[in-house]
Amino acid sequence: MRSSGSLETLVVAPGGDPRRAERWTRLALPFVGFVVAANAAEAAARLADHAVDAVLVDATAAAQDGADLLERLAPLARGRPLVVLVPPDAGAALTPFTALAGRVDFRVVADGGAVELCRALREIVGECRRAEQRRDRERVEPVTGMPSREAFREMVQPRLEAATATSAMAVVDIDGLAAINGLLGLEVADHVLMLIAERLAGALREGDLAAAAGGGRFLIWTPLETAPEDALVRARRVLQAIARPFAIAGERLQLTASAGLALHPADAAGLETLVARAEAAMYRAKAQGPGGYRLHQPLAVGTPPSELRKRAVVRRELEREGLELVFEPQLDLRTERPRAARLHLRTRADDALLRLTGDEIDDLALPVIRWMLEAAGRQMAAWLAHEVPLVPLVVDLPITLVRRSDVVDMIRRRLQGAGCHPAWFEVAVGGEPAGVDASDTAVADHLQALRDLGLRIALAGCGGPRSSLAALRHLPADSLELAGDLVQGQRERAADATILEALVGLGLGLGLDVGAAGVDRPGLARHLKELGCDWASGAWVGAPMPAHTFSDWLSGGGTLMIAAS
């Protein structure tokens, strides 16, 4: 039996107590209606056949039975809020429900009368509906109307887990979209993305899944019925569809896109790694010029054996927790106090230091950085507990990783999960700064977003073989680090000395802190200080050291650990 109302609530009383059921049958409220089920089986049938807004377990008379019933009903609720009604002075009656808190999502309401119950139910249901609406919005990319990256993950992950055949992941990135945004405006750029989304939909086959990752980037998963080379044929078809001219406001506009592909399960078993490897292949395609596509190549021809061994070591030690952080100190030349510490990886088995660049670790960059942030967070918490003086920790982030659309959210979640304030960390950007220009807005936008979170940004390797002044022009930064080979070579090469002095002046003129790597003797440190350098690192300051040694160094005020002495 059911009473009238705009919000429908299914009520179940443990043990089918007829007196409790009669109470709900007779209860009439203007905005809430009640449907009474005598037991769990009847409740399941009503949940399947009726439009129910909430499920209420009446546990005012039998707490333990109410908890058992709640656990049985949880998988049947299908997103509807679960509410438990308890006596006003519940006390010990809440104990059975405490054990469910980690497994079942439910709300507890004290029985304060019909009006109070009505208010509580409307509030809970309203909150759940708003949360569902937010989730629905997050599942759709707002510009194109395509599924978002999160929705794509929910669609593809189950298919990968159940897959018995090969499938392909493609990452497609529009070339030069930032230029359109700058020349024609955001509205035109958004319209172009909508048209591209329509063309993508027309180029897909039945069974393919696609999503918009934002910033002109699209993800496409496709099952392969024939040879893996079929993935390249499909990628070519997608790029050709995008390359057809657009008619925008009476003007003819032609775009290209670059694509990278990775195969499941040959290249990766998990979705996130699969996307990362397709993304890495896409950047290699872009490096060859616009409009191209590349397949992930885990063992590229000509790869040095030493690099392959290094990648194998990182993979193995990541899986078995065989890595540890070591800390390379940086010293403030003005105060002679600790400034920060750069994070490095070391294997526990043989204490070998792994100096990895972004190119060497390639698709391993993301899991390595995640591990480093989590380990650094745990170490920071331990130092805080033991009242060790803290200094910021410097994490090297390759440009290829900074370009990723999810890098800011990844770092934010890792720091939040570790309970770390972003101001405790500095990101040192390196890898391919020579490839940064005004059109590479993703790097600048992501670095600025990290600064907005509270992290400091350092441009590393300045004056080195792969650096470029374009990075200083286009990237937001707080600090500039001079490359170690330039710092050490300035005594033998007059040109290096001139470049070094010019870069120090340039950095100071831009309002940046200027530091120097590779400082291996006190005379060099004094010279850099006279030039205006703010800080230094290298053998003169201290070699990379394990956490317990570094904490002693911090507690001692950063006493210089000169290798020669």
Side-chain angles (χ1 to χ4, degrees):
M1 188 174 178
R2 164 182 162 180
S3 59
S4 62
S6 59
L7 190 148
E8 206 69 23
T9 303
L10 176 65
V11 180
V12 190
D17 186 344
R19 292 171 299 176
R20 305 301 299 171
E22 185 180 355
R23 173 200 176 186
W24 297 107
T25 303
R26 293 188 305 175
L27 186 61
L29 295 173
F31 302 110
V32 179
F34 298 100
V35 177
V36 180
N39 50 52
E42 186 178 338
R46 290 189 177 276
L47 284 170
D49 299 337
H50 290 70
V52 174
D53 299 297
V55 179
L56 177 69
V57 175
D58 183 354
T60 52
Q64 184 59 59
D65 291 344
D68 295 340
L69 182 60
L70 180 69
E71 189 168 18
R72 293 176 62 188
L73 292 176
L76 306 174
R78 296 188 182 90
R80 303 176 182 94
L82 288 167
V83 182
V84 177
L85 189 68
V86 297
D89 51 349
L94 291 176
T95 303
F97 298 101
T98 305
L100 296 177
R103 306 194 306 270
V104 178
D105 184 17
F106 64 95
R107 313 293 177 87
V108 176
V109 175
D111 190 357
V115 175
E116 179 61 25
L117 176 61
C118 175
R119 183 201 63 77
L121 285 173
R122 290 177 61 82
E123 184 177 296
I124 291 170
V125 172
E127 180 183 331
C128 290
R129 286 176 177 172
R130 289 189 293 272
E132 186 176 354
Q133 290 168 357
R134 285 194 299 271
R135 287 193 295 271
D136 289 343
R137 287 194 298 270
E138 290 170 358
R139 291 175 57 82
V140 177
E141 200 277 326
V143 174
T144 62
M146 294 179 68
S148 67
R149 193 172 189 133
E150 181 62 33
F152 184 76
R153 183 182 296 112
E154 294 176 3
M155 292 187 294
V156 175
Q157 186 65 50
R159 288 171 169 81
L160 292 182
E161 293 171 356
T164 57
T166 299
S167 62
M169 179 64 64
V171 175
V172 179
D173 193 78
I174 307 303
D175 299 319
L177 185 65
I180 297 176
N181 196 354
L183 292 173
L184 303 179
L186 183 61
E187 186 174 344
V188 172
D190 286 351
H191 182 57
V192 169
L193 288 175
M194 291 174 61
L195 296 177
I196 290 174
E198 292 176 1
R199 291 190 179 179
L200 280 178
L204 299 179
R205 301 199 308 198
E206 185 177 356
D208 294 351
L209 298 174
R217 184 165 299 179
F218 300 88
L219 307 177
I220 302 172
W221 176 82
T222 180
L224 299 177
E225 300 168 358
T226 56
E229 290 75 16
D230 185 39
L232 298 176
V233 175
R234 297 196 189 188
R236 192 183 307 120
R237 184 186 303 123
V238 168
L239 298 188
Q240 289 171 348
I242 294 173
R244 295 200 309 270
F246 294 91
I248 306 292
E251 299 291 333
R252 187 174 181 270
L253 179 66
Q254 188 161 16
L255 295 174
T256 60
S258 301
L261 299 100
L263 301 179
H264 175 273
D267 294 329
L271 174 60
E272 205 162 336
T273 305
L274 192 66
V275 173
R277 292 181 178 175
E279 204 165 36
M282 181 269 294
Y283 284 123
R284 292 194 186 96
K286 277 185 178 289
Q288 302 300 314
Y293 55 92
R294 290 283 296 272
L295 189 65
H296 172 66
Q297 294 177 306
L299 299 178
V301 175
T303 303
S306 59
E307 182 179 324
L308 297 180
R309 285 195 297 270
K310 189 185 297 183
R311 291 167 59 86
V313 167
V314 174
R315 289 186 190 279
R316 183 186 69 239
E317 300 302 329
L318 268 176
E319 291 173 359
R320 66 184 192 185
E321 294 291 329
L323 298 174
E324 68 173 341
L325 289 179
V326 288
F327 304 80
E328 181 185 9
Q330 297 177 353
L331 193 75
D332 190 315
L333 293 175
R334 298 161 299 185
T335 64
E336 297 188 359
R337 303 285 297 175
R339 173 197 179 265
R342 184 181 237 105
L343 299 179
H344 297 282
L345 287 177
R346 187 172 75 174
T347 56
R348 296 184 190 275
D350 55 11
D351 290 342
L353 196 65
L354 300 175
R355 295 185 179 274
L356 301 176
T357 67
D359 290 341
E360 288 171 333
I361 58 177
D362 187 18
D363 51 280
L364 284 173
L366 191 61
V368 164
I369 295 298
R370 281 182 180 145
W371 185 90
M372 292 180 75
L373 288 173
E374 291 170 356
R378 292 192 296 269
Q379 186 58 65
M380 280 286 202
W383 282 335
L384 275 175
H386 292 86
E387 299 183 350
V388 175
L390 297 184
V391 295
L393 300 181
V394 182
V395 181
D396 287 288
L397 209 62
I399 285 285
T400 52
L401 188 55
V402 177
R403 286 192 180 99
R404 284 183 60 103
S405 57
D406 59 346
V407 66
V408 177
D409 186 55
M410 181 273 290
I411 292 176
R412 178 185 57 78
R413 286 188 281 110
R414 286 299 179 281
L415 295 184
Q416 285 181 348
C420 290
H421 195 284
W424 295 354
F425 288 85
E426 180 173 283
V427 167
V429 182
E432 298 175 356
V436 176
D437 56 30
S439 66
D440 200 349
T441 57
V443 174
D445 291 346
H446 295 166
L447 290 179
Q448 186 57 53
L450 290 174
R451 290 182 82 196
D452 293 341
L453 286 178
L455 290 89
R456 286 173 56 84
I457 305 297
L459 301 181
C462 190
R466 304 181 66 189
S467 67
S468 168
L469 290 179
L472 285 172
R473 292 181 59 202
H474 302 299
L475 301 183
D478 304 285
S479 182
L480 179 70
E481 182 185 50
L482 302 173
D485 56 349
L486 176 69
V487 171
Q488 293 180 355
Q490 56 89 34
R491 190 167 66 171
E492 291 136 8
R493 293 182 293 274
D496 282 5
T498 303
I499 293 171
L500 178 69
E501 185 173 353
L503 287 175
V504 172
L506 178 61
L508 296 175
L510 292 172
L512 304 176
D513 290 336
V514 179
V519 180
D520 57 359
R521 54 191 184 275
L524 179 54
R526 285 194 298 271
H527 176 62
L528 291 167
K529 183 177 179 181
E530 290 168 358
L531 289 180
C533 270
D534 300 297
W535 54 272
S537 66
W540 175 73
V541 179
M545 59 190 84
H548 63 88
T549 306
F550 184 67
S551 62
D552 292 341
W553 187 80
L554 287 175
S555 300
T559 306
L560 293 181
M561 305 177 68
I562 308 174
S565 65

